[in-house]
Amino acid sequence: MEIIGSIIKGAIELKGALSSEANHIEAQEKVLSHLLKKASNTEFGKKYGFELILQSDEIREDFAKEVPHFDYHQLYDEWWHRVIAGEENITWPGSPDYFALSSGTTGKKSKRIPVTNDMIEAIRKAGIKQVEALSNFDLPASFFEKEIMMLGSSTDLVERDGHLEGEISGISASNIPFWFEGYYKPGKKIAQIDDWDTRVQRIAERAKDWDIGALSGIPSWMELMLQKVIDYHNVENIHQIWPNLQVYTSGGVAFAPYEKSFNKLLAHPITVIDTYLASEGFIAYQERPETDAMKLITDNGIYFEFVPFQPEYINQDGSLKQDAPSITLERVETNQDYVLIISTVSGTWRYIIGDTIEFTDVERAEIRITGRTKFFLNVVGSQLSVNKMNAALREVEEKFNTEIPEFTLAATRIDGEFNHHWYLGTETTADNQTLAEALDQSLKNANKNYKVARNKALKGVKVTKVPVEIFAEWSGGQKKKGGQVKMERVMSEEKFSEWETFVSETISN
């Protein structure tokens, strides 16, 4: 009998039994009041009258009325450039010890997002909540003695002007508690290797030395790592190396597009648990096995607002119009995409994080990530969100019994007429034209606006098949392999031209 595992599992179950479900609306009111009080004497808090807002009988309404929403560039230009320069008490008391580097999915130049000690503590508490939720997943006691492979970015943070910089996964891993170090793999030495390919090679070389029970990381990069380990040891699946692997925790990316290709690397299914850790904070985690939706963390340093994701509120470049109305948690509905806006203990105020979400259960505050605001394709009225694109591709996968884990597309013009050109990462034997017809029909059947556009201004759909690994090489060339890097799903015509040149040169070589 696994004595240590049984003790840990019993403690987790007891903690879960003693914990009561938070009232999410009340929790959010407390979080907002705490944020406003703590930041009231900062430069930001003084400008926007936080002390007066705190005296209001309608704090949430007045907060939304008095404080504009910001994207990264607006917040940087007006405030964060001073924080980065080392000034104190600008958007949060003191100055942050860390900055999370994030190029997101749209640009080469890294954003620098403040990460305060308050945020480090909030992320730690959120991690504990996630561990406590494992008691709901009927895992054996032996699982709690196994090691955890956390495949993030390098933990070798860069010192710059008195603070440390790196991706949020690297910052989080560099702050793991001492008692967890024995469970954490690949360990500090390998995790500090900056070059992705070298780091994965070292993981492959050491893989048989570890008894991995859980994996954590972005699906696309996790697949590449697992395949490398499998190839290095010349085995058929990862369970021949890690027979006790039982859990995979994905992060910040919908797992559904990768499910079929991921499962091919396994000897048998494992428990998949979704989490939502962004550069701006730990936003949500999957609490129960009956659903793949995640529960917003409403009592832990992040205040949430939501803007209905509708064309009249979105600019052509995917940014949010300043007069777009926001709502709070008690007014959200299911079956509606929302742009997520957050205010946090890192001095992030009414910040447009760039993701869209939908609620699957309002009372439980459970959500799914549905896409990115900048990946909303509305040229000539087609109104395609990433969620709709993914749903159509899952139908195509079923029809042709294949996997399509990666894709990108753009609205291009041929002789002055708009077309959608899709690049699909797949090994299917179906030809490009057949795939284009099937994809086009799936989108027509499911989306009224798309069907109307196809009968008018959207003249055609083109598909080009490419090897899946090209997407990873593109991400590596554009930004950096591994970590929080995610593939852009919708490209501008200019970026798409670069992509097509890259694909052509890569295949010819």
Side-chain angles (χ1 to χ4, degrees):
M1 181 177 179
E2 300 84 358
I3 297 176
I4 296 177
S6 296
I7 293 172
I8 296 172
K9 182 180 181 182
I12 291 173
E13 290 176 342
L14 178 62
K15 181 68 162 58
L18 295 175
S19 300
S20 58
E21 179 67 25
N23 180 312
H24 296 294
I25 295 172
E26 289 181 2
Q28 281 285 274
E29 291 176 344
K30 290 179 181 179
V31 166
L32 179 58
S33 292
H34 170 74
L35 293 174
L36 294 174
K37 287 175 184 176
K38 186 140 187 181
S40 60
N41 288 321
T42 63
E43 295 294 321
F44 191 96
K46 291 175 182 177
K47 174 168 182 176
Y48 291 109
F50 280 9
E51 288 191 355
L52 287 175
I53 294 174
L54 283 164
Q55 296 171 23
S56 169
D57 293 330
E58 298 180 333
I59 289 179
R60 292 171 298 169
E61 291 79 2
D62 284 354
F63 175 64
K65 182 173 68 175
E66 297 298 329
V67 182
H69 56 64
F70 297 86
D71 63 19
Y72 173 80
H73 299 291
Q74 292 165 333
L75 203 49
Y76 173 85
D77 290 343
E78 295 184 39
W79 298 98
W80 277 355
H81 72 280
R82 297 173 62 186
V83 179
I84 293 169
E87 293 187 51
E88 296 186 351
N89 303 318
I90 303 303
T91 60
W92 195 251
S95 60
D97 290 332
Y98 302 91
F99 284 88
L101 302 182
S102 172
S103 54
T105 44
T106 55
K108 293 182 181 180
K109 187 175 181 180
S110 289
K111 302 171 184 176
R112 286 179 165 80
I113 297 168
V115 181
T116 62
N117 288 331
D118 290 319
M119 178 55 73
I120 294 292
E121 178 64 12
I123 291 173
R124 187 190 69 81
K125 288 181 179 178
I128 292 173
K129 289 175 182 286
Q130 184 184 12
V131 170
E132 290 172 357
L134 289 174
S135 62
N136 300 326
F137 287 84
D138 194 29
L139 296 166
S142 60
F143 168 78
F144 296 93
E145 292 186 333
K146 306 306 177 186
E147 296 162 328
I148 300 175
M149 171 63 68
M150 297 173 63
L151 189 70
S153 54
S154 171
T155 59
D156 188 18
L157 306 178
V158 176
E159 186 172 356
R160 175 173 171 169
D161 299 329
H163 61 258
L164 296 173
E165 295 183 346
E167 288 190 11
I168 191 64
S169 57
I171 293 172
S172 299
S174 68
N175 281 279
I176 61 172
F178 73 92
W179 56 263
F180 184 67
E181 291 180 7
Y183 295 93
Y184 166 58
K185 297 299 179 234
K188 287 188 174 181
K189 187 174 182 179
I190 294 176
Q192 286 177 344
I193 298 173
D194 187 55
D195 181 74
W196 161 262
D197 293 311
T198 303
R199 191 168 0 128
V200 170
Q201 177 66 26
R202 295 291 181 271
I203 290 172
E205 293 169 358
R206 291 288 312 280
K208 282 192 172 182
D209 298 337
W210 304 324
D211 187 8
I212 301 297
L215 305 170
S216 178
I218 298 289
S220 55
W221 302 111
M222 185 62 69
E223 278 194 25
L224 290 174
M225 184 276 288
L226 294 177
Q227 189 65 61
K228 180 68 174 180
V229 174
I230 290 168
D231 292 344
Y232 181 84
H233 293 281
N234 194 28
V235 295
E236 293 182 357
N237 60 72
I238 197 62
H239 278 112
Q240 291 176 267
I241 303 297
W242 296 326
N244 295 309
L245 176 61
Q246 298 182 67
V247 171
Y248 168 50
T249 302
S250 66
V253 176
F255 179 68
Y258 302 92
E259 184 173 6
K260 293 185 73 173
S261 56
F262 191 92
N263 286 340
K264 288 176 68 175
L265 304 176
L266 312 174
H268 54 77
I270 62 177
T271 300
V272 177
I273 302 175
D274 280 326
T275 62
Y276 189 180
L277 173 62
S279 298
E280 295 81 5
F282 201 144
I283 292 171
Y285 64 96
Q286 184 179 340
E287 185 180 47
R288 55 198 182 100
E290 306 95 284
T291 177
D292 61 356
M294 298 173 287
K295 184 172 81 170
L296 284 176
I297 305 174
T298 57
D299 60 350
N300 191 34
I302 302 179
Y303 176 69
F304 300 102
E305 297 173 85
F306 313 91
V307 173
F309 189 43
Q310 297 174 1
E312 59 265 34
Y313 304 143
I314 309 297
N315 294 314
Q316 192 64 49
D317 64 356
S319 61
L320 194 64
K321 294 181 179 178
Q322 191 56 245
D323 61 354
S326 64
I327 59 176
T328 49
L329 191 57
E330 69 265 36
R331 293 177 54 199
V332 298
E333 301 174 347
T334 57
N335 301 314
Q336 165 69 58
D337 282 5
Y338 293 99
V339 178
L340 187 59
I341 297 178
I342 63 172
S343 301
T344 79
V345 290
S346 276
T348 301
W349 297 105
R350 304 204 73 219
Y351 183 85
I352 304 162
I353 196 171
D355 291 329
T356 60
I357 58 102
E358 67 172 350
F359 281 84
T360 60
D361 188 316
V362 173
E363 185 175 353
R364 294 178 182 267
E366 288 181 337
I367 64 163
R368 288 193 185 98
I369 302 170
T370 58
R372 298 281 294 173
T373 56
K374 291 185 181 295
F375 294 168
F376 180 59
L377 189 58
N378 194 32
V379 174
V380 301
S382 53
Q383 292 191 26
L384 285 184
S385 66
V386 172
N387 203 32
K388 292 175 181 177
M389 299 174 200
N390 280 330
L393 287 172
R394 301 294 74 78
E395 288 190 12
V396 175
E397 281 186 333
E398 292 302 315
K399 182 171 183 176
F400 296 102
N401 190 28
T402 190
E403 298 95 37
I404 311 174
E406 298 287 2
F407 74 92
T408 192
L409 77 154
T412 60
R413 281 171 286 197
I414 301 175
D415 297 327
E417 294 183 324
F418 278 102
N419 294 260
H420 284 177
H421 188 172
W422 295 69
Y423 273 77
L424 305 182
T426 181
E427 297 178 357
T428 182
T429 57
D431 61 70
N432 289 331
Q433 184 58 35
T434 301
L435 288 169
E437 292 171 358
L439 181 56
D440 188 33
Q441 192 60 52
S442 291
L443 289 167
K444 285 179 181 177
N445 292 342
N447 305 292
K448 178 180 67 176
N449 292 319
Y450 178 85
K451 186 175 182 180
V452 170
R454 283 289 286 118
N455 290 331
K456 294 182 178 179
L458 183 58
K459 295 303 180 183
V461 174
K462 180 180 179 181
V463 163
T464 301
K465 295 185 298 180
V466 294
V468 176
E469 55 267 21
I470 282 181
F471 290 84
E473 293 302 319
W474 165 264
S475 293
Q478 291 291 298
K479 290 160 271 190
K480 196 174 185 180
K481 289 184 177 180
Q484 300 297 111
V485 176
K486 306 164 192 174
M487 180 67 195
E488 55 261 73
R489 296 308 188 193
V490 177
M491 295 184 179
S492 65
E493 285 191 82
E494 180 181 1
K495 192 68 170 285
F496 196 68
S497 177
E498 295 177 21
W499 160 260
E500 292 199 292
T501 299
F502 173 83
V503 171
S504 177
E505 291 175 350
T506 302
I507 292 176
S508 63
N509 291 334

